[in-house]
């Protein structure tokens, strides 16, 4: 069998090389976390400090504040960004008018292709004192004066979560739509003949049919909890909401690269990666025990 598939192995070889070069070879840079790295000096000339940078991380109060923000926004994004696309995909699948269905799909996909710079500008303008949201709230007599949404730290997590949901909901639903499309149509026909209504068909056929996809996507999403990026927090945040907007990636950028503490920033990156790997393995083990579904 291996001889018959030698051409497939040869075809995959360039991609294996690319993965090694761009994903595994850079891990050599992790050695900086155990050094007092000085640019310009050779590897042999660097001052090795052991776990000093890691100890410094856990001694800084700001790290725990940043970790709180990261985990809070990650869990909110996980709950909203996982359940809503599933529901959206199911609702789209139930639409029988092809033109209407394609139109909704296209409209929901478009925000994904808008950069966060443009998206943040739109969101900031809508939530500004003279924005459409405040005008609508005052027109409905819900409030008698404009609300400064972007100046309230306790609202920042919700604003980021809803913004990310608006931007990625349609795109994230694609994989669930593909899984639904793979369900045998005869199952729906048999259920209809047996008198099952639309909601019963969804509950007993659609959801069980995409269960494996849902579990795999959930496990992978948990693995990325601490790696939520920094673009939306950086662009939507300001000095008034800094205690709620700063996340790990932004912390690494500001206190690592920005201040020239390259070893400290590398150590932060390692801690971030270790937490992500631990969450991935733990969630995979739990779901494997409970649902018999896993990615490993």
């Amino acid at each position: 069998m291996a001889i018959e598939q030698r051409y497939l192995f040869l075809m995959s070889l360039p991609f294996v090389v690319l993965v090694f070069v761009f994903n595994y070879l850079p891990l050599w840079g992790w050695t900086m976390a155990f050094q007092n790295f000085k640019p310009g000096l050779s590897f042999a000339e660097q001052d090795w400090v052991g776990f000093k940078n890691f100890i410094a991380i856990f001694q800084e109060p700001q790290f725990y504040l940043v970790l709180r923000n990261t985990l809070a926004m990650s869990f909110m994004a996980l709950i909203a960004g996982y359940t809503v696309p599933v529901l959206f995909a199911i609702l789209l699948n139930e639409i029988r008018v092809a033109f209407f269905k394609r139109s909704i799909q296209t409209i929901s996909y478009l925000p994904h292709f808008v950069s966060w710079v443009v998206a943040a500008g739109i969101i900031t303008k809508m939530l500004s004192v003279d924005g459409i949201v405040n005008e609508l709230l005052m027109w409905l007599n819900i409030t008698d004066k404009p609300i400064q949404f972007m100046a309230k730290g306790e609202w920042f997590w919700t604003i980021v979560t809803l913004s990310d949901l608006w931007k990625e909901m349609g795109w994230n639903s694609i994989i669930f739509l593909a899984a639904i499309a793979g369900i045998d149509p005869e199952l729906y026909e048999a259920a209809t003949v047996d008198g099952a209504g639309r909601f019963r068909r969804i509950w007993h056929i659609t959801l069980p049919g995409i269960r494996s996809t849902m579990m795999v996507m959930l496990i992978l999403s948990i693995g990325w909890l601490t790696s939520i990026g920094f673009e939306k927090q950086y662009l939507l945040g300001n000095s008034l909401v800094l205690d709620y907007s700063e996340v790990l990636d932004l912390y690494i950028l500001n206190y690592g690269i920005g201040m020239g503490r390259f070893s400290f920033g590398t150590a932060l990156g390692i801690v971030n990666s270790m937490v992500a790997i631990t969450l991935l393995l733990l969630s995979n083990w739990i779901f494997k025990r409970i649902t018999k579904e896993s990615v490993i």
Side-chain angles (χ1 to χ4, degrees):
M1 181 64 70
I3 296 176
E4 295 175 356
Q5 295 183 345
R6 60 183 180 275
Y7 295 112
L8 294 177
F9 290 138
L10 288 174
M11 290 173 63
S12 64
L13 185 60
F15 300 100
V16 173
V17 173
L18 285 174
V19 170
F20 176 77
V21 170
F22 291 102
N23 292 83
Y24 289 96
L25 199 59
L27 291 179
W28 175 256
W30 277 13
T31 56
M32 291 170 54
F34 305 95
Q35 303 169 342
N36 184 17
F37 181 78
K38 300 294 183 184
L41 297 180
S42 66
F43 182 78
E45 295 174 330
Q46 298 294 339
D47 180 25
W48 292 84
V49 296
F51 291 94
K52 180 180 178 180
N53 291 308
F54 293 93
I55 295 173
I57 290 174
F58 294 105
Q59 288 179 341
E60 290 202 16
Q62 185 69 15
F63 170 74
Y64 297 98
L65 180 65
V66 169
L67 185 62
R68 180 205 68 176
N69 296 339
T70 303
L71 292 177
M73 279 185 273
S74 296
F75 276 110
M76 291 174 69
L78 175 64
I79 295 171
Y82 174 77
T83 57
V84 175
V86 172
L87 295 175
F88 183 67
I90 293 173
L91 291 175
L92 272 181
N93 184 65
E94 293 299 315
I95 297 176
R96 297 293 175 252
V97 182
F99 174 77
F100 187 54
K101 181 178 181 179
R102 289 196 298 268
S103 299
I104 294 177
Q105 283 181 289
T106 303
I107 293 171
S108 65
Y109 296 164
L110 285 177
H112 171 77
F113 300 99
V114 177
S115 71
W116 265 113
V117 176
V118 177
I122 296 173
I123 294 165
T124 302
K125 182 61 179 176
M126 290 179 62
L127 296 178
S128 63
V129 174
D130 57 347
I132 187 173
V133 174
N134 272 310
E135 290 185 2
L136 181 62
L137 291 176
M138 290 189 292
W139 182 71
L140 294 173
N141 294 322
I142 296 176
T143 179
D144 56 351
K145 61 180 180 179
I147 301 173
Q148 296 183 349
F149 291 100
M150 305 306 294
K152 296 183 179 295
E154 61 273 16
W155 289 5
F156 184 80
W157 296 347
T158 303
I159 292 173
V160 169
T161 301
L162 294 177
S163 301
D164 192 46
L165 182 63
W166 160 73
K167 193 172 183 299
E168 303 296 339
M169 178 189 68
W171 184 259
N172 291 338
S173 67
I174 292 177
I175 190 169
F176 299 112
L177 281 169
I180 293 173
I183 299 175
D184 189 352
E186 292 184 358
L187 295 174
Y188 292 103
E189 294 174 4
T192 303
V193 171
D194 290 340
R198 177 168 295 183
F199 290 103
R200 284 195 172 274
R201 293 197 298 269
I202 291 174
W203 184 258
H204 294 288
I205 299 176
T206 305
L207 288 177
I210 63 174
R211 172 182 164 181
S212 297
T213 303
M214 291 172 60
M215 290 299 103
V216 170
M217 295 303 298
L218 179 58
I219 292 170
L220 294 177
S221 298
I222 292 174
W224 287 97
L225 272 181
T226 59
S227 302
I228 59 174
F230 67 91
E231 296 93 344
K232 45 186 175 288
Q233 289 82 10
Y234 179 77
L235 294 167
L236 293 173
N238 55 68
S239 58
L240 297 175
V241 297
L242 187 61
D243 288 343
Y244 293 87
S245 65
E246 194 168 32
V247 292
L248 275 173
D249 288 340
L250 198 55
Y251 185 61
I252 293 172
L253 178 65
N254 293 333
Y255 290 86
I257 300 174
M259 299 178 64
R261 303 167 67 189
F262 301 109
S263 296
F264 183 78
T266 305
L268 277 169
I270 292 176
V271 171
N272 191 6
S273 299
M274 291 299 102
V275 172
I277 292 173
T278 302
L279 288 173
L280 175 62
L281 295 176
L282 181 62
S283 60
N284 183 77
W285 178 80
I286 292 173
F287 283 108
K288 189 174 183 179
R289 293 289 299 272
I290 297 175
T291 65
K292 308 302 180 183
E293 304 286 348
S294 67
V295 297
I296 302 175

